[in-house]
Amino acid sequence: MKKRNVIRLASFLTAALLVLGGVLIKSEQKNKRYELEIQNGYSRNLDDFNTAMNNISTTLNKARFVTTPKQISSIAAKLLTEAEISKAALSQLPSSQELTSLNKFLSQVGNYAMSLSKNLISGGEISQADSENIVKLSDTANKISELVTDAHITYNNVDYWAKELDNQLTDLVDDNSLAVYMNDMEDEFEDYPTLIYDGPYSDHILEKEPEMIKQAEAVSENQALRAAAKIAQCDTADLKPDGVSLGKIPAFRFIGDGVTVTVSKNGGFPVYLRREKNAVDSILNYEQAIDKAARFLERIDMSGFAETYYFENNGVCVINFAYLDGQTICYTDLVKVGVAMDTGEIMLYEASGYLTNHKDRAFQTPVYTVEQAEEILSENVTVNHSSLALIPSKAGEDVRCYEFACTAENGQEILIYINTATLDEEEVLILLKSDGGILVK
């Protein structure tokens, strides 16, 4: 080979190696950036969870000494907000099991204070039992807050999050991981003190026997595995058994690459799915997320649902779907679907509300017309539209109502529920709209 050709070939090879090296460096930098964003997401969620739990603990300590409707209302609003922040952050932290007890406690916290507020406003008083319940909630919140603060100190650092990602990529189980810590904390609070009160998150309502599994036949672990693979959209070989989740809906638990799925032992119904991944960018809009979630429900044979409210946090849009029974939307029969706003991947599925409450219903013709119900409404609101809805009553029974979507004089959007059989005003909810979504209180 001529010397000129050798030099030319060497130049080409050098250039090719430089280009390849540049591509590899760029790819490595991109992967590092993604890893850093995921680590930052975990860190931010642990920060949020820690701050919100500290706020809940402090607010409940204050509640021990409050007796007026105004202050109780203020405390209830604060607790509801912090509880929602806590649940949203908790859902995005690494865990290998459904954190039922922690979520149950967070649901009860604000709702109990709101129940007290309504009682005081209507002329009632804080009873000895109420005071004892506040102390129970406060003591529990203090313990959770201390444990979360310890976790924040131990795990919220760059070195740990890098190790956490490495373990997830290699499917290693670290006995000293945050996931194990959170699971141990969940187990510690499985039996936290019972609360009985007049509200939709009271234990006597949460502990009701699930309707869907009452008469359902038991399924084998292999049958449950196939159902789990279907909801996780993977092969059965990609999942492995991970014990049984106990509680009101006993379920087989399966884990895979960054995913946890539970399937009820009776009936083989998917109960819960969660993926351990943070969305990087918000590329999809709300309508596209709704479409992804609705298509997912169709794929797993969950048809007949209507989207209601949603909340977006850290790149995941969580949408509440309520079962539509003819013309009546059943807010009692809820499923939640979380969609990654970058890829459209399903990050969360939660169906315990639906499995607990759904059943065949024979609705009676309303005793009163929608026009008669509208006459009950305050003169300070303007009705935008109305529909039929089934809502949980404070006594735990389902109540069929006319739902009126209204606008107040100050522009606030309000939902008012009037009983179709008695014309009682069963519930008034305020719509909260923000860049993060639509919620009700």
Side-chain angles (χ1 to χ4, degrees):
M1 183 179 293
K2 293 182 179 180
K3 184 176 181 180
R4 181 185 300 173
N5 290 338
V6 171
I7 294 172
R8 184 179 298 169
L9 179 60
S11 299
F12 284 149
L13 289 173
T14 301
L17 289 172
L18 288 173
V19 170
L20 179 61
V23 170
L24 291 174
I25 291 172
K26 187 174 181 180
S27 176
E28 183 177 356
Q29 290 174 338
K30 188 175 182 180
N31 288 335
K32 288 290 185 184
R33 179 168 64 85
Y34 285 157
E35 288 179 11
L36 182 60
E37 287 175 345
I38 293 172
Q39 291 175 29
N40 288 341
Y42 280 145
S43 179
R44 184 169 57 252
N45 281 302
L46 189 53
D47 278 339
D48 290 347
F49 187 40
N50 183 49
T51 300
M53 278 309 310
N54 285 333
N55 289 340
I56 288 172
S57 177
T58 301
T59 304
L60 280 170
N61 284 333
K62 292 179 182 179
R64 297 181 188 223
F65 314 106
V66 171
T67 59
T68 65
K70 180 179 178 181
Q71 286 300 317
I72 286 288
S73 294
S74 175
I75 282 175
K78 175 72 172 174
L79 290 173
L80 283 168
T81 300
E82 297 297 340
E84 286 299 323
I85 293 172
S86 293
K87 287 193 286 187
L90 184 61
S91 70
Q92 298 298 316
L93 288 173
S95 174
S96 62
Q97 70 181 52
E98 185 179 356
L99 302 177
T100 307
S101 296
L102 287 172
N103 277 292
K104 174 183 170 183
F105 170 77
L106 293 169
S107 293
Q108 286 190 334
V109 159
N111 188 265
Y112 185 70
M114 190 63 72
S115 177
L116 286 184
S117 174
K118 290 179 179 178
N119 180 48
L120 288 176
I121 290 171
S122 62
E125 296 180 351
I126 295 180
S127 66
Q128 181 64 31
D130 291 330
S131 298
E132 291 172 358
N133 281 337
I134 291 174
V135 171
K136 288 178 183 178
L137 286 172
S138 180
D139 289 345
T140 303
N142 289 339
K143 291 177 184 178
I144 295 175
S145 180
E146 289 174 4
L147 291 170
V148 175
T149 297
D150 289 344
H152 188 266
I153 294 171
T154 303
Y155 298 104
N156 203 14
N157 59 76
V158 174
D159 292 338
Y160 173 73
W161 294 128
K163 182 181 177 182
E164 172 72 30
L165 287 177
D166 287 341
N167 288 342
Q168 289 185 19
L169 290 172
T170 56
D171 206 24
L172 288 177
V173 178
D174 184 354
D175 290 338
N176 296 315
S177 68
L178 176 61
V180 172
Y181 184 93
M182 296 296 290
N183 295 341
D184 290 343
M185 184 165 67
E186 165 76 4
D187 293 339
E188 186 172 339
F189 288 97
E190 276 187 354
D191 299 318
Y192 85 86
T194 294
L195 295 178
I196 301 296
Y197 67 98
D198 187 20
Y201 291 108
S202 173
D203 281 353
H204 74 285
I205 296 172
L206 286 176
E207 295 300 317
K208 65 188 292 189
E209 184 179 1
E211 294 285 347
M212 291 283 285
I213 66 173
K214 277 183 179 179
Q215 306 298 327
E217 294 183 2
V219 299
S220 67
E221 189 175 66
N222 282 335
Q223 289 174 310
L225 175 60
R226 289 195 291 272
K230 182 176 182 178
I231 188 176
Q233 297 179 263
C234 65
D235 295 329
T236 54
D238 296 328
L239 297 173
K240 60 182 181 182
D242 188 46
V244 174
S245 297
L246 301 177
K248 281 298 174 180
I249 306 180
F252 294 106
R253 185 169 59 245
F254 303 93
I255 58 174
D257 185 13
V259 64
T260 300
V261 186
T262 63
V263 176
S264 66
K265 295 184 71 174
N266 286 354
F269 301 112
V271 181
Y272 179 80
L273 171 140
R274 182 181 167 205
R275 294 189 188 280
E276 303 286 348
K277 181 182 85 71
N278 276 12
V280 178
D281 300 302
S282 289
I283 298 173
L284 305 178
N285 58 35
Y286 168 62
E287 288 76 17
Q288 291 170 315
I290 286 269
D291 182 64
K292 297 283 186 183
R295 289 175 182 270
F296 167 75
L297 290 177
E298 289 177 1
R299 274 199 305 273
I300 63 171
D301 303 319
M302 291 285 282
S303 59
F305 287 83
E307 70 273 9
T308 57
Y309 310 110
Y310 73 98
F311 183 79
E312 184 178 340
N313 183 59
N314 291 333
V316 176
C317 184
V318 179
I319 305 152
N320 286 316
F321 286 86
Y323 183 72
L324 192 60
D325 192 335
Q327 295 182 330
T328 303
I329 188 165
C330 301
Y331 290 114
T332 52
D333 303 7
L334 287 177
V335 297
K336 295 180 181 180
V337 182
V339 179
M341 297 299 277
D342 57 350
T343 63
E345 188 176 16
I346 302 301
M347 306 296 291
L348 173 73
Y349 174 76
E350 203 281 308
S352 57
Y354 176 76
L355 296 176
T356 298
N357 295 302
H358 182 68
K359 59 185 177 182
D360 291 332
R361 300 179 176 98
F363 290 124
Q364 301 296 318
T365 302
V367 175
Y368 297 95
T369 66
V370 66
E371 290 80 13
Q372 289 173 307
E374 188 170 339
E375 292 177 2
I376 303 297
L377 303 180
S378 167
E379 295 179 355
N380 298 322
V381 301
T382 300
V383 176
N384 300 319
H385 63 84
S386 62
S387 57
L388 286 167
L390 191 71
I391 66 171
S393 74
K394 295 179 176 62
E397 300 296 328
D398 298 344
V399 181
R400 195 175 185 218
C401 297
Y402 291 111
E403 178 187 65
F404 293 98
C406 308
T407 303
E409 292 177 334
N410 63 359
Q412 179 69 66
E413 295 184 55
I414 300 171
L415 297 174
I416 302 176
Y417 296 87
I418 305 297
N419 193 309
T420 61
T422 65
L423 291 184
D424 288 338
E425 191 174 53
E426 296 287 349
E427 186 63 272
V428 177
L429 298 174
I430 296 175
L431 278 177
L432 300 178
K433 292 185 176 181
S434 68
D435 291 340
I438 302 176
L439 296 172
V440 293
K441 285 187 181 178

